Amino acid sequence: MGPHPAVATVRHAVRRALADLAAGDLVLVACSGGADSLALAAAAGFTAPRAGLRAGLLTVDHGLQAGSAARALDVVRLAPELKLEPAEVLTVRVGTAGGPEAAARDARYAALGEAARRHGAAAVLLGHTLDDQAETVVLGLARGSGPRSLAAMSAVAGVYRRPLLEIGRATTRAACAALGLTPWDDPHNDDPAFSRVRVRHRVLPVLERELGPGIAGALARTAALCRDDADALDAWASRAHAEARAAAADPGGSGREPYAGAEGGSGREPYARAEGGSGREGGAGAAGGEALAVAVLADLPPAVRGRVLRLAAFAAGVPAGSLGAAHVREADRLVTEWRGQRGVNLPGGVTLYRRYGRLVFAGNG
């Protein structure tokens, strides 16, 4: 007699996720003790040795609740039963940047990444499920985010792997029950102060009731489609970014361009730059930033051009996460609605101006 169907489903997902690893590789499971990560840990402990792999367990103590250290030790004590070695508690200090959810996530991933490097792990398995994926899509929609945000979580991201993205929470709970494992239910998962909890308990049930069952699966499929599109656009943008930089650095390139001072106008583009700009005609190394050829940018679809502008801004020193849609829109106007306007001030002390057929990102150094 085979395993319970839920157990078999989770094991199959883990087997697929580990199929490309080499014999002897170490896989670490990030386990909070909740149903999703507990089912994942049990499946990894069963599957990894049969694939010639080693499997261990990591649990993170965020220190945000009374008794968190004791619960983390309880999770580690399960490791021998689940055939997981090594097993370790990672104690972190959660900051405040970005709000409590983001701060806890940043601390958790920093600790997991450091542990993976220290142990020489080939992969860290995360217990995100199809339901988590659906919630992430809804949150992205609410923020008005683009397709990269709607793509939600990827099955593989660097050392991290998410084998359960096509499996719902009902299955992981059933797997734990079939294996005699008792999950820990984090009270934060029912706290409406967190936006994800409100989506889980209020928004998605309304969608299911009003639109019919299967909403979580449909949203997860939407994420997969958005991810394919976003990956393709990002690859195109990376090539276009390199092309635009090369064209801007070529002294025999675009040269001076017509100044579109009015619709259909001609003439020469005036010298125009943002306050504090360097005043130099920029190549790829202008003023601590870089430069892009306007002619290359102008031929790109808006979705690709916006990505190129973001790549260039980050390369010039704009802090990650600080560049908003309004910044990109104003930068884009220097390409598509050029009327001799002054430049754009970007976060991190970076200024962007247009001069002689080039967009110059000037750093503050």
Side-chain angles (χ1 to χ4, degrees), residues 68-89:
S68 64
R71 279 191 295 275
L73 285 175
D74 287 341
V75 173
V76 165
R77 291 190 184 107
L78 278 174
E81 177 185 341
L82 301 178
K83 306 294 191 297
L84 298 172
E85 175 65 32
E88 181 180 356
V89 175

mmCIF file of all heavy atoms in Angstrom, residues 68-89:
data_model
loop_
_atom_site.group_PDB
_atom_site.id
_atom_site.type_symbol
_atom_site.label_atom_id
_atom_site.label_comp_id
_atom_site.label_asym_id
_atom_site.label_seq_id
_atom_site.Cartn_x
_atom_site.Cartn_y
_atom_site.Cartn_z
ATOM 1 N N SER A 68 9.192 32.188 21.252
ATOM 2 C CA SER A 68 9.653 31.854 19.897
ATOM 3 C C SER A 68 10.908 30.990 19.923
ATOM 4 O O SER A 68 11.080 30.093 19.092
ATOM 5 C CB SER A 68 9.909 33.129 19.083
ATOM 6 O OG SER A 68 10.969 33.890 19.657
ATOM 7 N N ALA A 69 11.782 31.221 20.888
ATOM 8 C CA ALA A 69 13.015 30.426 20.962
ATOM 9 C C ALA A 69 12.696 28.968 21.286
ATOM 10 O O ALA A 69 13.289 28.042 20.701
ATOM 11 C CB ALA A 69 13.947 31.011 22.018
ATOM 12 N N ALA A 70 11.746 28.749 22.187
ATOM 13 C CA ALA A 70 11.371 27.380 22.538
ATOM 14 C C ALA A 70 10.725 26.666 21.356
ATOM 15 O O ALA A 70 10.979 25.479 21.114
ATOM 16 C CB ALA A 70 10.419 27.399 23.734
ATOM 17 N N ARG A 71 9.896 27.394 20.602
ATOM 18 C CA ARG A 71 9.254 26.772 19.431
ATOM 19 C C ARG A 71 10.292 26.420 18.372
ATOM 20 O O ARG A 71 10.187 25.389 17.701
ATOM 21 C CB ARG A 71 8.181 27.705 18.865
ATOM 22 C CG ARG A 71 6.870 27.640 19.634
ATOM 23 C CD ARG A 71 5.780 28.366 18.884
ATOM 24 N NE ARG A 71 6.039 29.786 18.767
ATOM 25 C CZ ARG A 71 5.712 30.682 19.698
ATOM 26 N NH1 ARG A 71 5.124 30.274 20.816
ATOM 27 N NH2 ARG A 71 5.959 31.946 19.525
ATOM 28 N N ALA A 72 11.280 27.286 18.196
ATOM 29 C CA ALA A 72 12.334 26.990 17.227
ATOM 30 C C ALA A 72 13.085 25.721 17.622
ATOM 31 O O ALA A 72 13.413 24.881 16.771
ATOM 32 C CB ALA A 72 13.293 28.174 17.113
ATOM 33 N N LEU A 73 13.348 25.551 18.914
ATOM 34 C CA LEU A 73 14.023 24.334 19.372
ATOM 35 C C LEU A 73 13.154 23.099 19.147
ATOM 36 O O LEU A 73 13.666 22.025 18.798
ATOM 37 C CB LEU A 73 14.376 24.461 20.852
ATOM 38 C CG LEU A 73 15.560 25.374 21.188
ATOM 39 C CD1 LEU A 73 15.714 25.514 22.698
ATOM 40 C CD2 LEU A 73 16.852 24.851 20.563
ATOM 41 N N ASP A 74 11.844 23.255 19.322
ATOM 42 C CA ASP A 74 10.940 22.128 19.060
ATOM 43 C C ASP A 74 11.027 21.685 17.603
ATOM 44 O O ASP A 74 10.977 20.482 17.304
ATOM 45 C CB ASP A 74 9.493 22.519 19.396
ATOM 46 C CG ASP A 74 9.248 22.611 20.897
ATOM 47 O OD1 ASP A 74 10.055 22.048 21.660
ATOM 48 O OD2 ASP A 74 8.260 23.266 21.294
ATOM 49 N N VAL A 75 11.133 22.655 16.695
ATOM 50 C CA VAL A 75 11.241 22.315 15.271
ATOM 51 C C VAL A 75 12.542 21.557 15.017
ATOM 52 O O VAL A 75 12.564 20.533 14.318
ATOM 53 C CB VAL A 75 11.171 23.587 14.400
ATOM 54 C CG1 VAL A 75 11.448 23.250 12.932
ATOM 55 C CG2 VAL A 75 9.809 24.257 14.522
ATOM 56 N N VAL A 76 13.642 22.029 15.602
ATOM 57 C CA VAL A 76 14.930 21.366 15.411
ATOM 58 C C VAL A 76 14.900 19.944 15.975
ATOM 59 O O VAL A 76 15.504 19.025 15.406
ATOM 60 C CB VAL A 76 16.050 22.215 16.055
ATOM 61 C CG1 VAL A 76 17.328 21.394 16.204
ATOM 62 C CG2 VAL A 76 16.339 23.442 15.197
ATOM 63 N N ARG A 77 14.202 19.763 17.078
ATOM 64 C CA ARG A 77 14.133 18.426 17.679
ATOM 65 C C ARG A 77 13.388 17.425 16.800
ATOM 66 O O ARG A 77 13.520 16.216 16.982
ATOM 67 C CB ARG A 77 13.474 18.521 19.050
ATOM 68 C CG ARG A 77 14.314 19.249 20.100
ATOM 69 C CD ARG A 77 13.726 19.107 21.483
ATOM 70 N NE ARG A 77 14.488 19.894 22.447
ATOM 71 C CZ ARG A 77 14.041 21.034 23.000
ATOM 72 N NH1 ARG A 77 12.832 21.489 22.685
ATOM 73 N NH2 ARG A 77 14.792 21.693 23.869
ATOM 74 N N LEU A 78 12.587 17.926 15.864
ATOM 75 C CA LEU A 78 11.895 17.038 14.926
ATOM 76 C C LEU A 78 12.833 16.498 13.852
ATOM 77 O O LEU A 78 12.508 15.516 13.180
ATOM 78 C CB LEU A 78 10.748 17.788 14.233
ATOM 79 C CG LEU A 78 9.428 17.924 14.967
ATOM 80 C CD1 LEU A 78 8.484 18.823 14.159
ATOM 81 C CD2 LEU A 78 8.795 16.555 15.187
ATOM 82 N N ALA A 79 13.964 17.167 13.649
ATOM 83 C CA ALA A 79 14.837 16.843 12.527
ATOM 84 C C ALA A 79 15.267 15.379 12.486
ATOM 85 O O ALA A 79 15.214 14.750 11.423
ATOM 86 C CB ALA A 79 16.054 17.773 12.525
ATOM 87 N N PRO A 80 15.706 14.780 13.605
ATOM 88 C CA PRO A 80 16.103 13.368 13.524
ATOM 89 C C PRO A 80 14.962 12.459 13.073
ATOM 90 O O PRO A 80 15.187 11.517 12.305
ATOM 91 C CB PRO A 80 16.542 13.055 14.965
ATOM 92 C CG PRO A 80 16.939 14.374 15.530
ATOM 93 C CD PRO A 80 15.988 15.363 14.926
ATOM 94 N N GLU A 81 13.741 12.740 13.555
ATOM 95 C CA GLU A 81 12.586 11.940 13.141
ATOM 96 C C GLU A 81 12.340 12.052 11.646
ATOM 97 O O GLU A 81 11.918 11.094 10.992
ATOM 98 C CB GLU A 81 11.356 12.404 13.914
ATOM 99 C CG GLU A 81 10.061 11.709 13.528
ATOM 100 C CD GLU A 81 8.868 12.299 14.252
ATOM 101 O OE1 GLU A 81 9.056 12.973 15.275
ATOM 102 O OE2 GLU A 81 7.733 12.075 13.779
ATOM 103 N N LEU A 82 12.641 13.239 11.093
ATOM 104 C CA LEU A 82 12.412 13.472 9.666
ATOM 105 C C LEU A 82 13.631 13.122 8.820
ATOM 106 O O LEU A 82 13.618 13.344 7.608
ATOM 107 C CB LEU A 82 12.027 14.942 9.444
ATOM 108 C CG LEU A 82 10.773 15.426 10.173
ATOM 109 C CD1 LEU A 82 10.541 16.913 9.909
ATOM 110 C CD2 LEU A 82 9.561 14.611 9.752
ATOM 111 N N LYS A 83 14.676 12.611 9.441
ATOM 112 C CA LYS A 83 15.920 12.214 8.742
ATOM 113 C C LYS A 83 16.624 13.430 8.132
ATOM 114 O O LYS A 83 17.129 13.378 7.009
ATOM 115 C CB LYS A 83 15.613 11.183 7.631
ATOM 116 C CG LYS A 83 14.844 9.966 8.125
ATOM 117 C CD LYS A 83 15.682 9.139 9.091
ATOM 118 C CE LYS A 83 15.049 7.778 9.386
ATOM 119 N NZ LYS A 83 13.734 7.872 10.060
ATOM 120 N N LEU A 84 16.678 14.499 8.908
ATOM 121 C CA LEU A 84 17.297 15.732 8.432
ATOM 122 C C LEU A 84 18.495 16.081 9.312
ATOM 123 O O LEU A 84 18.365 16.237 10.529
ATOM 124 C CB LEU A 84 16.275 16.885 8.453
ATOM 125 C CG LEU A 84 15.052 16.707 7.549
ATOM 126 C CD1 LEU A 84 14.029 17.802 7.799
ATOM 127 C CD2 LEU A 84 15.464 16.695 6.075
ATOM 128 N N GLU A 85 19.647 16.231 8.683
ATOM 129 C CA GLU A 85 20.884 16.549 9.386
ATOM 130 C C GLU A 85 21.826 17.241 8.391
ATOM 131 O O GLU A 85 22.036 16.714 7.283
ATOM 132 C CB GLU A 85 21.525 15.265 9.920
ATOM 133 C CG GLU A 85 22.881 15.445 10.560
ATOM 134 C CD GLU A 85 22.829 16.281 11.825
ATOM 135 O OE1 GLU A 85 21.822 16.237 12.555
ATOM 136 O OE2 GLU A 85 23.819 17.001 12.058
ATOM 137 N N PRO A 86 22.329 18.444 8.739
ATOM 138 C CA PRO A 86 22.268 19.137 10.024
ATOM 139 C C PRO A 86 20.919 19.816 10.264
ATOM 140 O O PRO A 86 20.115 19.952 9.348
ATOM 141 C CB PRO A 86 23.381 20.181 9.880
ATOM 142 C CG PRO A 86 23.379 20.496 8.409
ATOM 143 C CD PRO A 86 23.100 19.180 7.732
ATOM 144 N N ALA A 87 20.714 20.251 11.503
ATOM 145 C CA ALA A 87 19.521 21.014 11.874
ATOM 146 C C ALA A 87 19.970 22.170 12.767
ATOM 147 O O ALA A 87 20.773 21.965 13.678
ATOM 148 C CB ALA A 87 18.520 20.130 12.601
ATOM 149 N N GLU A 88 19.451 23.357 12.496
ATOM 150 C CA GLU A 88 19.993 24.543 13.172
ATOM 151 C C GLU A 88 18.914 25.604 13.349
ATOM 152 O O GLU A 88 18.062 25.800 12.471
ATOM 153 C CB GLU A 88 21.146 25.105 12.336
ATOM 154 C CG GLU A 88 21.823 26.324 12.929
ATOM 155 C CD GLU A 88 22.967 26.832 12.050
ATOM 156 O OE1 GLU A 88 23.274 26.181 11.029
ATOM 157 O OE2 GLU A 88 23.538 27.881 12.388
ATOM 158 N N VAL A 89 18.962 26.290 14.492
ATOM 159 C CA VAL A 89 18.132 27.469 14.735
ATOM 160 C C VAL A 89 18.933 28.697 14.333
ATOM 161 O O VAL A 89 20.082 28.874 14.763
ATOM 162 C CB VAL A 89 17.722 27.582 16.215
ATOM 163 C CG1 VAL A 89 16.955 28.890 16.451
ATOM 164 C CG2 VAL A 89 16.868 26.393 16.636
#
